[in-house]
Amino acid sequence: MAKKKKTQNKVKHEEVENPSSIWESPTKIISFCVAVLVLSLATGMLVGGILDDEDEDRPKTEIAETKGPSNKPEALSAPEVRFPAYEEGLPVDRAGVSPEGKRDPLFPPAVEEEKTSVVATLPPEDPEAISKPPKVSSLDGPAWERFAAQSEERNGRPAIAIVIDDVGLNKGRVIDLANLPAPLTFAFLPYGNGLQESADLSRNKGHEIMVHMPMEPSRKSANPGPNALLTELSLKEIEERTRKNLASFDGFVGINNHMGSKFTAYREGMRVVMDVVAEKGLLFLDSRTTAKSTGYQLAKERGLPTANRDIFLDNTAEVDAILKQLQKVEEVALKNGQAIAIGHPYKETIEALKKWIPEARRKGFVLIPVTAALVK
């Protein structure tokens, strides 16, 4: 018995002293390799799961931006920040872009529009439209006449001018708007992206363009964007900012106010703006974000071509609601002979206009650019 135990101990000792003996058997080698492979796969799945869990906790904008180059604005670090579009606090761009061109991280990026560019998505029938010189209605006269879009004759029919504000933050939306089959008026924010390119494209498609001049709102939480005209500025600074915003691109017929419920009520500041507008031969459209606005009256006193907005189209950004607002526009046009409506570059607004434009023409309305609806 003692001898047998001694023999067993000797065998165990030899197994420890000669670990290389495992390689002497093909079966053992295969088993060992399989075990290593299984262990590696299990470890990889575990690590991958942990990383996925970490991504789920990160803002979606941050995840999207780490996947590669993007033409989307950089996400803000403070997720609680939101940016109201205009006086009622709607978002500037329903994709979540701020007046400064930054993205609100609470809005997921619009992936379907991320690779959109003006050149790449031009209609196939006119691939070089953006490189053609913009059309000029007249070689003489003030800018509001020289850059006016061609307008269909009214011939006694009620006329409707559709103005789209807040244009220029999203090039894909510029293309969608430019492809609408009517002479519309686009008001470009002076801090938008690729403004001259987008403005030229719009004009070559038969539309009219303006500068959407950022002005101080009454609500402190509303952000009008950089270089906004503020009541706290000196009159000289107001003039300098007005000129700077007007220098952001060219080919426009005039300006209208972006926000501005506080500034448009500031007569002295608005008088400075009107002086610059008159000097450059432009028109002024009062967006009427407040009943206290002095813009329209000052423009008339200064002898400027001017007009007032009648209806806002998309305070509720839903297709059916916008179509109902367009019915109100029709009613105003039937009553007064013409109407001016203001909308925004929302997908819902564009979809509603696609449906409404042919129907409005069928009813006998003529669609005109804003220069054809002015009080002179």
Side-chain angles (χ1 to χ4, degrees):
M1 182 70 180
K3 185 177 180 180
K4 185 176 180 181
K5 186 173 183 181
K6 184 176 181 181
T7 302
Q8 291 175 345
N9 290 337
K10 183 178 180 181
V11 171
K12 290 180 180 179
H13 178 70
E14 288 176 352
E15 289 175 350
V16 173
E17 293 294 330
N18 299 289
S20 62
S21 62
I22 188 172
W23 307 111
E24 296 175 359
S25 170
T27 303
K28 292 182 179 180
I29 292 174
I30 293 172
S31 300
F32 178 79
C33 291
V34 171
V36 171
L37 179 60
V38 171
L39 181 61
S40 299
L41 290 173
T43 303
M45 292 174 64
L46 177 61
V47 173
I50 293 173
L51 292 177
D52 286 342
D53 289 341
E54 290 177 353
D55 278 354
E56 288 297 325
D57 292 334
R58 295 160 61 195
K60 291 185 179 180
T61 48
E62 182 182 347
I63 297 170
E65 290 170 358
T66 59
K67 291 182 180 179
S70 169
N71 60 0
K72 289 295 180 182
E74 182 181 350
L76 297 177
S77 58
E80 70 276 6
V81 177
R82 288 188 180 275
F83 303 95
Y86 54 98
E87 220 47 40
E88 297 304 321
L90 297 178
V92 164
D93 185 315
R94 289 174 67 77
V97 177
S98 78
E100 292 83 358
K102 296 182 179 180
R103 176 171 295 285
D104 182 344
L106 293 183
F107 287 84
V111 177
E112 73 278 4
E113 296 174 354
E114 191 160 300
K115 296 183 180 179
T116 301
S117 67
V118 171
V119 177
T121 55
L122 282 173
E125 69 272 13
D126 195 7
E128 297 181 355
I130 198 151
S131 63
K132 294 179 181 178
K135 298 176 184 178
V136 177
S137 296
S138 172
L139 296 177
D140 300 316
W144 74 267
E145 290 182 339
R146 287 188 289 114
F147 299 119
Q150 293 184 353
S151 180
E152 187 178 350
E153 291 294 330
R154 294 195 191 187
N155 295 326
R157 293 175 294 170
I160 295 174
I162 302 292
V163 179
I164 304 296
D165 283 354
D166 295 355
V167 179
L169 296 179
N170 185 313
K171 289 184 179 180
R173 299 290 173 82
V174 173
I175 295 168
D176 291 340
L177 288 165
N179 285 331
L180 289 172
L184 309 179
T185 302
F186 304 150
F188 284 86
L189 289 162
Y191 46 80
N193 306 311
L195 290 176
Q196 194 61 60
E197 184 182 49
S198 295
D200 290 347
L201 169 64
S202 301
R203 293 185 56 224
N204 281 322
K205 285 289 186 177
H207 304 289
E208 207 163 68
I209 60 174
M210 296 194 301
V211 175
H212 199 31
M213 188 70 68
M215 298 184 183
E216 184 178 2
S218 297
R219 298 176 68 197
K220 293 183 179 180
S221 60
N223 187 347
N227 292 312
L229 308 185
L230 310 174
T231 55
E232 65 186 30
L233 299 176
S234 68
L235 296 182
K236 181 179 180 180
E237 289 174 305
I238 291 172
E239 179 184 351
E240 290 175 352
R241 289 196 177 193
T242 301
R243 293 185 182 278
K244 183 175 182 178
N245 287 326
L246 292 177
S248 56
F249 63 103
D250 59 34
F252 47 83
V253 296
I255 73 170
N256 71 331
N257 54 292
H258 171 57
M259 302 192 183
S261 56
K262 185 173 182 178
F263 189 85
T264 57
Y266 175 39
R267 180 173 288 270
E268 293 304 312
M270 286 296 291
R271 186 173 284 118
V272 172
V273 175
M274 295 304 166
D275 287 343
V276 177
V277 169
E279 174 193 319
K280 295 187 174 294
L282 302 171
L283 66 85
F284 175 74
L285 171 65
D286 198 330
S287 301
R288 298 292 291 179
T289 54
T290 174
K292 298 178 181 179
S293 175
T294 62
Y296 176 75
Q297 190 60 41
L298 284 174
K300 286 183 64 177
E301 291 175 6
R302 191 69 172 73
L304 298 177
T306 187
N308 270 320
R309 181 271 310 165
D310 293 302
I311 301 287
F312 272 126
L313 295 178
D314 46 17
N315 284 346
T316 301
E318 298 173 358
V319 174
D320 289 343
I322 295 167
L323 289 173
K324 289 181 180 178
Q325 290 297 101
L326 286 165
Q327 290 178 2
K328 294 181 181 179
V329 176
E330 293 177 8
E331 293 170 3
V332 173
L334 287 171
K335 179 181 178 180
N336 300 333
Q338 70 174 35
I340 299 175
I342 290 181
H344 297 82
Y346 302 152
K347 288 183 178 180
E348 296 86 347
T349 304
I350 296 170
E351 183 180 346
L353 288 173
K354 284 180 181 178
K355 295 180 179 180
W356 174 79
I357 288 172
E359 182 65 17
R361 284 183 167 142
R362 188 189 66 79
K363 293 178 180 178
F365 293 96
V366 57
L367 302 179
I368 59 175
V370 77
T371 51
L374 298 172
V375 176
K376 305 167 192 173

